[in-house]
Amino acid sequence: MRHTDPVAAPLTSDAATAPLTRTIRATLDRLRAFDRRRPRVWDAAVTAFWAVAAVLDYTSGGWRTVARDVTAPEPLVLLMSLWFSLPLLWRRTHPMTVLLLSAPVSLVNIWTGAVVQAALLQLIPVFHIALRSSLRTLGTAALVFCAPLLAGAIRIPGIWGQQVISYVWGLVFVALLGIAVRTRREYTEALVERAHRLEHERDQQARLAAAAERTRIAREMHDIIGHNLSVITGLADGGSYAATKNPERAAQALDAIGTTSRQALSELRRLLGVLRDDHPTADRTPQPTLADLAPLIDRVRRAGLPVHLELHGEPEPSTAPTPGRQLTVYRVVQESLTNTLKHAAPPAAAPLSATVTLTYTRTHIDARITDTGTGPSAGTGADGQDPPAPTLAQGIMGMRERAALYNGTIEAGPLPDHGGWHVHLRLPLEDQPQ
């Protein structure tokens, strides 16, 4: 005994009707496409079809089956049949004109009692009026259509129930059909317009994202190249000084220069490799985090700048800095130490040194970088004036931009008490009130 799955049965039925639906839709699409390409040919074909149908109704005597007066002159019947059908050639461009031209013939049709079926072709321009014109125009068209019927009903009282009511119902149906098609068309056009607008907005967002990414890459390249070149310059100066007195230290400086150069090239290749479309497997090494601060400070020490690192507190697991915030702290420390190497001059009484202090609180992470140097940086205050060195000003501006991404603040300026320079970053942790 076979059992029919109640769930599978509807699926089978849908699967069977799906090809038919696609065929009908494809046929309608082809007809619409042909109409758009050759509207005159389509109008002529439709007009010819209804003209032939009207003539066949006349030649076969079919009009006599519904006529109230079969003695109506046959040439008049033929003329009325052609008059109702031939103006359909302009049914889309001038539907109201076609309906007005048909109104006198419609009156003659009812008045003589011939009541040819071709009079129903007046509903075609009514449909196009409902499809394209206002409701006021549609009301006028309905009046033009019904006026001859009412006049004929007065002339022939028995025609009221047989023809007038059916004609009025046909008018209502065609008008509602035109309004429904018009509503559907406007809805489809609105959807298409919305899709185009969303596509435009998507492209605009993509362009904005690309511009932001270019800015980010430029900032990363500035930090990478500036820091590593400063370290290399410091190592080269120290190596040239030690070459005459301590060749072993000079060799160590050259080794450090080679290591720093290779690391800088590796970072640049990683940064630029992600931009190449033809290399989808480009290296996606993670960006530096707070764990990379110790190697960074070691490199700066090898370049000749003594750096002391101080940590206060520990981040809670639930409020640990996000990777973006860790990168911001790393780049601010890197840029600050790079500026010290490039712009600060050692004080007269003691060697140049720097201190990096990280402080974790429940809501913020603070990074404070100070040095004991003097020079260009000592003449600038925290009042917002640009430092004398353009590269220093650009570096501080880049730090402020990084901090602003996470609602953080940067304070930079000379230390008032014992000289030197300081940079103070205050960065809110994620998901904390500002």
Side-chain angles (χ1 to χ4, degrees):
M1 181 178 180
R2 296 183 60 187
H3 297 277
T4 302
D5 188 352
V7 177
L11 295 178
T12 304
S13 177
D14 293 342
T17 57
L20 178 60
T21 303
R22 287 196 298 269
T23 301
I24 295 175
R25 185 182 298 112
T27 303
L28 292 176
D29 290 340
R30 284 195 292 269
L31 289 176
R32 294 191 188 99
F34 179 79
D35 186 22
R36 286 192 296 268
R37 292 194 305 269
R38 292 181 172 86
R40 290 297 183 186
V41 174
W42 179 255
D43 290 343
V46 172
T47 303
F49 172 81
W50 290 115
V52 171
V55 171
L56 289 177
D57 180 65
Y58 162 75
T59 56
S60 64
W63 65 277
R64 291 189 175 91
T65 60
V66 295
R68 301 294 298 178
D69 185 1
V70 296
T71 63
E74 292 189 359
L76 178 63
V77 172
L78 177 61
L79 179 63
M80 289 190 297
S81 299
L82 293 176
W83 194 272
F84 284 126
S85 57
L86 292 180
L88 293 179
L89 184 64
W90 299 277
R91 72 191 188 282
R92 291 194 291 188
T93 56
H94 303 87
M96 181 58 76
T97 303
V98 173
L99 191 62
L100 290 173
L101 289 175
S102 302
V105 183
S106 177
L107 179 59
V108 174
N109 181 43
I110 298 295
W111 198 270
T112 59
V115 194
V116 295
Q117 298 297 312
L120 290 173
L121 295 178
Q122 296 176 95
L123 294 175
I124 296 179
V126 171
F127 171 80
H128 287 281
I129 292 173
L131 187 64
R132 296 182 176 87
S133 302
S134 64
L135 291 178
R136 177 178 296 181
T137 305
L138 179 60
T140 304
L143 182 61
V144 172
F145 180 83
C146 293
L149 297 176
L150 298 176
I154 296 174
R155 168 75 168 75
I156 308 175
I159 205 175
W160 181 265
Q162 183 178 3
Q163 270 85 22
V164 174
I165 299 299
S166 60
Y167 274 48
V168 171
W169 275 114
L171 172 67
V172 172
F173 173 78
V174 169
L176 292 177
L177 178 62
I179 293 174
V181 173
R182 176 178 183 172
T183 303
R184 178 66 179 178
R185 179 179 296 177
E186 292 176 351
Y187 176 72
T188 303
E189 292 175 353
L191 289 180
V192 172
E193 181 181 359
R194 182 172 181 268
H196 289 164
R197 185 172 64 254
L198 291 176
E199 183 178 358
H200 176 72
E201 292 177 356
R202 181 200 63 191
D203 295 340
Q204 186 177 16
Q205 290 295 329
R207 289 192 294 268
L208 292 175
E213 184 67 9
R214 285 193 296 269
T215 302
R216 186 192 69 83
I217 291 174
R219 188 184 298 120
E220 294 292 328
M221 292 182 65
H222 168 270
D223 292 341
I224 292 172
I225 296 175
H227 170 74
N228 287 284
L229 287 180
S230 297
V231 172
I232 290 173
T233 301
L235 291 172
D237 292 341
S240 62
Y241 175 78
T244 57
K245 298 182 179 181
N246 192 342
E248 183 178 353
R249 292 295 299 274
Q252 294 175 357
L254 291 175
D255 291 339
I257 289 174
T259 302
T260 304
S261 301
R262 285 189 292 271
Q263 182 178 3
L265 286 174
S266 177
E267 291 187 19
L268 287 176
R269 288 195 186 102
R270 173 184 57 78
L271 188 62
L272 298 177
V274 298
L275 302 178
R276 301 185 59 181
D277 297 335
D278 55 343
H279 286 280
T281 58
D283 185 14
R284 262 68 170 183
T285 304
Q287 292 278 26
T289 63
L290 294 179
D292 299 303
L293 278 179
L296 170 67
I297 291 175
D298 288 340
R299 291 197 301 270
V300 175
R301 287 170 180 163
R302 289 197 300 269
L305 175 63
V307 181
H308 179 62
L309 176 62
E310 297 180 1
L311 301 176
H312 299 283
E314 293 183 0
E316 298 180 5
S318 59
T319 60
T322 59
R325 285 171 167 78
Q326 295 188 47
L327 176 62
T328 298
V329 175
Y330 179 92
R331 292 304 187 194
V332 167
V333 173
Q334 183 186 56
E335 180 66 22
S336 300
L337 296 177
T338 301
N339 288 338
T340 299
L341 285 171
K342 293 167 61 176
H343 302 291
L352 178 65
S353 63
T355 301
V356 177
T357 304
L358 291 183
T359 304
Y360 295 97
T361 66
R362 187 175 59 87
T363 59
H364 291 76
I365 177 173
D366 290 349
R368 185 178 177 86
I369 304 95
T370 61
D371 63 56
T372 60
T374 61
S377 60
T380 311
D383 55 358
Q385 295 180 353
D386 291 337
T391 55
L392 179 59
Q394 294 175 4
I396 295 176
M397 185 182 301
M399 288 189 286
R400 288 199 174 104
E401 291 176 354
R402 285 185 179 276
L405 291 176
Y406 300 98
N407 296 323
T409 58
I410 284 284
E411 295 179 2
L415 294 171
D417 298 333
H418 52 78
W421 183 268
H422 85 286
V423 174
H424 181 206
L425 166 67
R426 184 170 177 82
L427 203 62
L429 297 176
E430 189 177 17
D431 298 329
Q432 295 294 328
Q434 305 301 320

